[in-house]
Coordinates of all heavy atoms in Angstrom, one line a residue:
D21 N 232.8 158.9 83.0 CA 233.7 157.8 82.6 C 234.4 157.1 83.7 O 235.0 156.1 83.6 CB 234.9 158.4 81.7 CG 234.4 159.0 80.4 OD1 233.4 158.4 79.8 OD2 234.9 160.0 80.0
Q22 N 234.2 157.6 84.9 CA 234.8 157.0 86.1 C 234.2 155.6 86.4 O 233.0 155.4 86.2 CB 234.5 157.9 87.3 CG 235.1 157.4 88.6 CD 235.2 158.4 89.7 OE1 235.7 159.5 89.5 NE2 234.5 158.1 90.8
G23 N 235.0 154.7 86.8 CA 234.5 153.4 87.1 C 235.6 152.3 86.8 O 236.7 152.6 86.6
N24 N 235.2 151.0 86.9 CA 236.1 149.9 86.7 C 236.1 149.6 85.2 O 235.1 149.5 84.5 CB 235.6 148.7 87.5 CG 235.8 148.9 89.0 OD1 236.8 149.5 89.4 ND2 234.8 148.5 89.7
Y25 N 237.3 149.3 84.7 CA 237.5 148.8 83.3 C 238.2 147.5 83.4 O 239.2 147.3 84.1 CB 238.4 149.9 82.6 CG 237.6 151.1 82.2 CD1 237.4 152.1 83.2 CD2 237.0 151.3 81.0 CE1 236.7 153.3 82.9 CE2 236.3 152.4 80.7 CZ 236.1 153.4 81.6 OH 235.4 154.5 81.3
A26 N 237.7 146.5 82.7 CA 238.2 145.2 82.7 C 238.8 144.8 81.4 O 238.3 145.2 80.3 CB 237.1 144.1 83.1
C27 N 239.9 144.1 81.4 CA 240.5 143.6 80.2 C 240.6 142.0 80.3 O 241.2 141.5 81.3 CB 241.9 144.2 80.0 SG 242.8 143.6 78.5
S28 N 240.1 141.3 79.4 CA 240.1 139.9 79.5 C 240.9 139.3 78.3 O 240.8 139.9 77.2 CB 238.7 139.3 79.4 OG 237.9 139.8 80.4
V29 N 241.6 138.2 78.5 CA 242.4 137.6 77.4 C 242.1 136.1 77.5 O 241.8 135.5 78.5 CB 243.9 137.9 77.6 CG1 244.2 139.3 77.4 CG2 244.4 137.4 78.9
E30 N 242.3 135.5 76.3 CA 242.1 134.0 76.2 C 243.0 133.5 75.2 O 243.2 134.1 74.1 CB 240.6 133.8 75.8 CG 240.2 132.4 75.7 CD 238.7 132.2 75.4 OE1 237.9 133.1 75.5 OE2 238.4 131.0 74.9
N31 N 243.5 132.3 75.5 CA 244.2 131.5 74.4 C 244.0 130.0 74.7 O 243.1 129.7 75.5 CB 245.7 131.8 74.4 CG 246.4 131.4 75.7 OD1 245.9 130.6 76.5 ND2 247.6 131.9 75.9
D32 N 244.7 129.2 74.0 CA 244.5 127.7 74.1 C 244.7 127.2 75.5 O 244.3 126.1 75.8 CB 245.4 127.0 73.1 CG 245.0 127.2 71.7 OD1 243.8 127.7 71.4 OD2 245.8 127.0 70.8
Y33 N 245.4 127.9 76.3 CA 245.8 127.4 77.7 C 244.9 128.0 78.8 O 245.2 127.7 80.0 CB 247.3 127.7 77.9 CG 248.1 127.1 76.8 CD1 248.7 127.9 75.8 CD2 248.4 125.8 76.8 CE1 249.4 127.3 74.8 CE2 249.2 125.2 75.8 CZ 249.7 126.0 74.8 OH 250.4 125.4 73.8
G34 N 244.0 128.9 78.5 CA 243.2 129.4 79.5 C 242.8 130.9 79.3 O 242.9 131.4 78.2
T35 N 242.4 131.5 80.4 CA 242.0 132.9 80.3 C 242.6 133.7 81.4 O 243.1 133.2 82.4 CB 240.4 133.0 80.5 OG1 240.1 132.5 81.7 CG2 239.7 132.3 79.4
G36 N 242.6 135.0 81.3 CA 243.1 135.9 82.3 C 242.3 137.2 82.3 O 241.6 137.5 81.2
K37 N 242.2 137.9 83.4 CA 241.4 139.1 83.5 C 242.1 140.0 84.5 O 242.6 139.6 85.5 CB 240.0 138.8 83.9 CG 239.1 140.0 84.0 CD 237.7 139.5 84.4 CE 236.8 140.7 84.6 NZ 235.4 140.3 85.0
D38 N 242.1 141.3 84.2 CA 242.6 142.3 85.1 C 241.6 143.5 85.1 O 241.0 143.8 84.0 CB 244.0 142.8 84.7 CG 244.6 143.6 85.9 OD1 244.2 143.4 87.0 OD2 245.5 144.4 85.6
V39 N 241.4 144.1 86.2 CA 240.4 145.2 86.4 C 241.2 146.4 86.9 O 242.0 146.3 87.8 CB 239.3 144.9 87.3 CG1 238.4 146.1 87.5 CG2 238.5 143.7 86.8
S40 N 241.0 147.6 86.3 CA 241.6 148.8 86.7 C 240.5 149.8 87.0 O 239.5 149.9 86.3 CB 242.5 149.4 85.7 OG 243.6 148.6 85.5
M41 N 240.7 150.7 88.0 CA 239.7 151.7 88.4 C 240.2 153.0 87.8 O 241.3 153.4 88.1 CB 239.6 151.8 89.9 CG 238.8 153.0 90.4 SD 237.1 152.7 90.1 CE 236.4 153.9 91.3
L42 N 239.3 153.7 87.1 CA 239.6 155.1 86.6 C 238.9 156.0 87.5 O 237.6 156.0 87.7 CB 239.1 155.2 85.2 CG 239.2 156.7 84.6 CD1 240.6 157.1 84.5 CD2 238.5 156.8 83.3
M43 N 239.6 156.9 88.2 CA 239.0 158.0 89.0 C 239.2 159.3 88.3 O 240.3 159.7 88.0 CB 239.7 158.0 90.4 CG 239.5 156.7 91.2 SD 240.3 156.8 92.8 CE 239.6 158.2 93.5
V44 N 238.1 160.0 88.2 CA 238.2 161.3 87.5 C 238.2 162.4 88.6 O 237.2 162.4 89.4 CB 236.9 161.5 86.6 CG1 237.0 162.9 86.0 CG2 236.9 160.5 85.5
Q45 N 239.2 163.2 88.6 CA 239.3 164.2 89.7 C 239.2 165.6 89.0 O 239.8 165.8 87.9 CB 240.6 164.1 90.4 CG 240.7 162.8 91.2 CD 242.0 162.6 91.9 OE1 243.0 163.2 91.5 NE2 242.0 161.9 92.9
E46 N 238.5 166.5 89.6 CA 238.3 167.8 89.0 C 238.0 168.8 90.1 O 237.6 168.4 91.2 CB 237.1 167.8 88.0 CG 235.8 167.3 88.5 CD 234.8 167.1 87.4 OE1 235.1 167.2 86.2 OE2 233.7 166.7 87.8
P47 N 238.1 170.1 89.8 CA 237.8 171.1 90.9 C 236.3 171.0 91.2 O 235.5 170.7 90.4 CB 238.1 172.4 90.2 CG 239.0 172.1 89.0 CD 238.6 170.7 88.6
P48 N 235.9 171.4 92.5 CA 234.5 171.3 92.8 C 233.8 172.5 92.2 O 234.3 173.5 91.7 CB 234.6 171.5 94.4 CG 235.8 172.3 94.6 CD 236.8 171.8 93.6
E49 N 232.4 172.3 92.1 CA 231.6 173.4 91.7 C 231.4 174.5 92.8 O 231.8 174.2 93.9 CB 230.2 172.8 91.3 CG 230.3 171.9 90.1 CD 229.0 171.2 89.8 OE1 228.0 171.5 90.4 OE2 229.0 170.3 89.0
S50 N 230.9 175.6 92.5 CA 230.7 176.6 93.5 C 229.7 176.2 94.6 O 228.8 175.4 94.3 CB 230.1 177.9 92.8 OG 231.0 178.4 91.8
P51 N 229.8 176.8 95.8 CA 228.9 176.5 96.8 C 227.5 176.9 96.4 O 227.3 177.7 95.6 CB 229.3 177.4 98.0 CG 230.7 177.8 97.7 CD 230.9 177.7 96.2
L52 N 226.5 176.2 97.0 CA 225.1 176.4 96.6 C 224.4 177.3 97.6 O 224.6 177.2 98.8 CB 224.4 175.1 96.6 CG 225.0 174.0 95.6 CD1 224.3 172.7 95.8 CD2 224.9 174.5 94.2
D53 N 223.4 178.1 97.2 CA 222.5 178.8 98.0 C 223.2 179.6 99.1 O 222.9 179.5 100.3 CB 221.5 177.9 98.6 CG 220.3 178.6 99.2 OD1 220.0 179.7 98.8 OD2 219.7 178.0 100.2
V54 N 224.2 180.5 98.7 CA 224.9 181.3 99.7 C 224.0 182.4 100.1 O 223.4 183.1 99.3 CB 226.2 181.9 99.1 CG1 226.9 182.8 100.1 CG2 227.1 180.8 98.6
R55 N 223.9 182.6 101.5 CA 222.9 183.6 102.0 C 223.4 184.1 103.4 O 224.0 183.3 104.2 CB 221.5 183.1 102.0 CG 221.3 181.9 103.0 CD 220.0 181.2 102.7 NE 219.8 180.1 103.6 CZ 220.5 178.9 103.6 NH1 221.4 178.7 102.7 NH2 220.2 178.0 104.5

Side-chain angles (χ1 to χ4, degrees):
D21 296 322
Q22 181 166 303
N24 291 320
Y25 288 80
C27 180
S28 300
V29 295
E30 180 180 342
N31 66 15
D32 293 340
Y33 303 102
T35 61
K37 179 179 178 181
D38 194 21
V39 177
S40 292
M41 169 73 159
L42 173 65
M43 293 179 59
V44 178
Q45 298 178 334
E46 59 190 3
E49 296 174 6
S50 298
L52 304 173
D53 193 27
V54 178
R55 64 195 180 285

